[in-house]
Amino acid sequence: MQKHRIAVIAGDGIGPEVIAEGVKVLKRVAELDGGFEFEFDEFPWGCEYYLKTGRMMPENGIDILKDYDAIFLGAVGYPGVPDHISLWDLLLTIRKSFDQYVNLRPVKLLKGAPCPLAGIKREDIDMTFVRENSEGEYAGSGAWLYKNSPNEVVIQNGVFSRHGCERIIRYAYELARKEGKTLTSISKGNALNYSMVFWDQIFKEIGEEYPDVSTYSYLVDAASMFMVKDPARFEIVVTSNLFGDILTDLGAAISGGMGLAAGANLNPERKYPSMFEPIHGSAPDIAGQGKANPLATVWSASQMLDFFGHKEWADKLIDIIEELMVEAKVLTPDMGGAATTSEVGDAVVFKLG
Ligand code: NAD
Ligand code: IPM
Ligand code: MN
């Protein structure tokens, strides 16, 4: 029997609440299929672990994770530990160490999902964001000079390598070609006169290899306006690390909310494990109350199944999410329901059969 070994990092706040439902759903899928199984190993890393040990994960954490087939992550970060420590020492370290340079984030208005935009047809919101996930504004390059003195200076560098830009842009072109969709690049070459001019140049260069793919190029400020006013313009979208972070929260807002937005951090070469996670954070404002929506996590479980080649199950989970939202009987408060996190997870399991 095919076995998928999964490292589970539930993390902080609502992370453990939503991940419990994701694991429940994946276990049931494997049981029903009968041809594959999951082995889940849970790691209690995160902010509580930090407060006890002074580290977000053990020193050999990356070494421990490297032989897993995938990582299933809830959320990281909690008041009491500075965010730049909790995120850099766990989530961002994993993305970088395992060269998960593709962050694939669907922004699709599923049937039944709430949408705050007026006059928009459901099928108008159907995008896939290909976010650069290894460098750019998140390279972690900079300095803090003359700290705590009146001459204090901070420098945060954006790092855009040819290798890094080419591979993410090529991935996006391949996806657009495979799916027969248009490709939009989002950048900011008018103000960021080195990094984004370079990005735009590489977008054009690689495009010469893909004459069959229609392309658009927008500045990020205009793109954010069009995502709200005319989202149908966007199909496959490729953008930098920071722009992709911001625009996918905007994407979440127009396609059902943070409780429904999923993401996959992929190492396409499969040399290292890929990581699947909802894109939301630890939501301290609702943590521990059973209010967290686990559907984003279920969607990221669907992305994991797809990545492992179980496409029918991946699609089945999306169908079930849609059914739950259309029926609107078992939903969490963010979607106007009164169900708890685990009731929604149970409803998904029930619908699986
Ligand atoms: P957040 O995504 O945690 O919360 C933003 C808002 O969305 C909150 O009102 C929250 O209640 C709501 N929300 C989020 N997920 C929800 C869900 N599943 N169901 C219902 N409502 C949901 O963002 P934030 O408040 O800016 O960040 C909180 C912490 O999480 C910070 O420490 C931040 O650094 C961290 N963070 C972690 C990740 C991650 O681990 N991938 C992502 C984003 C933020
Ligand atoms: C996300 C998160 C992370 C990011 C943070 C927590 C470092 O916001 O996954 O969208 O910016 O990538
Ligand atoms: Mn984000």
Side-chain angles (χ1 to χ4, degrees):
M1 169 128 61
Q2 195 186 9
K3 186 185 270 190
H4 304 302
R5 296 185 63 240
I6 313 297
V8 179
I9 305 175
D12 307 312
I14 63 169
E17 300 171 51
V18 294
I19 275 293
E21 304 315 309
V23 168
K24 198 193 268 182
V25 166
L26 284 171
K27 278 187 178 155
R28 184 65 187 144
V29 165
E31 242 172 56
L32 288 167
D33 184 274
F36 63 91
E37 62 184 348
F38 286 104
E39 185 181 293
F40 294 101
D41 287 340
E42 295 186 15
F43 297 95
W45 304 340
C47 289
E48 255 178 63
Y49 186 90
Y50 177 89
L51 293 173
K52 278 189 228 138
T53 65
R55 304 186 59 94
M56 289 297 292
M57 65 172 154
E59 212 170 338
N60 61 343
I62 290 300
D63 208 43
I64 294 173
L65 295 175
K66 78 173 190 318
D67 294 323
Y68 282 91
D69 297 316
I71 301 162
F72 198 25
L73 184 132
V76 181
Y78 216 68
V81 180
D83 274 345
H84 67 281
I85 294 180
S86 56
L87 274 312
W88 266 98
D89 291 359
L90 189 56
L91 180 75
L92 295 176
T93 298
I94 295 173
R95 287 182 184 164
K96 283 166 200 283
S97 304
F98 294 142
D99 210 12
Q100 296 167 346
Y101 63 89
V102 176
N103 191 192
L104 210 58
R105 295 185 159 182
V107 174
K108 182 176 166 67
L109 189 61
L110 298 183
K111 284 184 215 131
C115 176
L117 303 183
I120 294 293
K121 293 199 291 301
R122 191 156 299 283
E123 52 283 8
D124 286 347
I125 303 183
D126 188 358
M127 333 175 185
T128 303
F129 267 77
V130 178
R131 169 191 179 194
E132 204 294 318
N133 210 32
S134 67
E135 55 169 30
E137 308 88 341
Y138 283 41
S141 157
W144 198 314
L145 307 175
Y146 319 115
K147 206 167 184 169
N148 301 326
S149 89
N151 300 328
E152 208 160 24
V153 176
V154 298
I155 302 165
Q156 185 93 44
N157 296 309
V159 176
F160 290 75
S161 66
R162 176 164 280 280
H163 172 66
C165 294
E166 282 187 358
R167 66 182 181 174
I168 194 68
I169 288 172
R170 181 165 278 116
Y171 184 96
Y173 270 107
E174 285 291 330
L175 187 63
R177 172 178 278 173
K178 191 173 116 212
E179 300 197 351
K181 295 194 168 153
T182 64
L183 176 62
T184 299
S185 163
I186 298 180
S187 61
K188 185 70 188 172
N190 54 356
L192 303 179
N193 53 341
Y194 298 107
S195 57
M196 293 291 169
V197 171
F198 185 59
W199 173 281
D200 290 345
Q201 181 190 314
I202 292 179
F203 184 67
K204 276 213 191 88
E205 275 172 29
I206 306 269
E208 281 163 26
E209 297 169 35
Y210 298 85
D212 50 315
V213 176
S214 313
T215 61
Y216 301 90
S217 207
Y218 292 120
L219 295 164
V220 65
D221 42 358
S224 10
M225 179 274 294
F226 283 133
M227 274 181 72
V228 171
K229 299 287 280 183
D230 186 16
R233 284 172 188 252
F234 302 95
E235 294 184 359
I236 309 294
V237 178
V238 65
T239 190
S240 71
N241 212 331
L242 179 63
F243 293 172
D245 176 46
I246 298 167
L247 292 173
T248 53
D249 264 34
L250 175 58
I254 62 169
S255 62
M258 292 309 287
L260 190 57
N265 304 270
L266 302 178
N267 173 246
E269 292 75 25
R270 298 183 189 235
K271 184 169 173 204
Y272 304 107
S274 290
M275 177 162 67
F276 300 84
E277 52 163 348
I279 82 166
H280 62 70
S282 57
D285 53 340
I286 56 164
Q289 303 170 35
K291 285 186 184 163
N293 189 343
L295 292 179
T297 306
V298 174
W299 194 335
S300 53
S302 157
Q303 289 185 298
M304 186 195 292
L305 286 163
D306 198 6
F307 189 70
F308 285 147
H310 308 303
K311 182 148 185 359
E312 316 77 63
W313 288 113
D315 293 345
K316 174 94 182 158
L317 286 185
I318 302 297
D319 290 346
I320 290 178
I321 294 174
E322 286 193 317
E323 271 176 48
L324 282 176
M325 292 190 302
V326 169
E327 290 168 10
K329 284 196 201 115
V330 189
L331 295 174
T332 42
D334 58 308
M335 289 191 163
T340 63
T341 309
S342 65
E343 283 167 353
V344 174
D346 289 344
V348 175
V349 167
F350 181 77
K351 283 194 176 287
L352 277 167

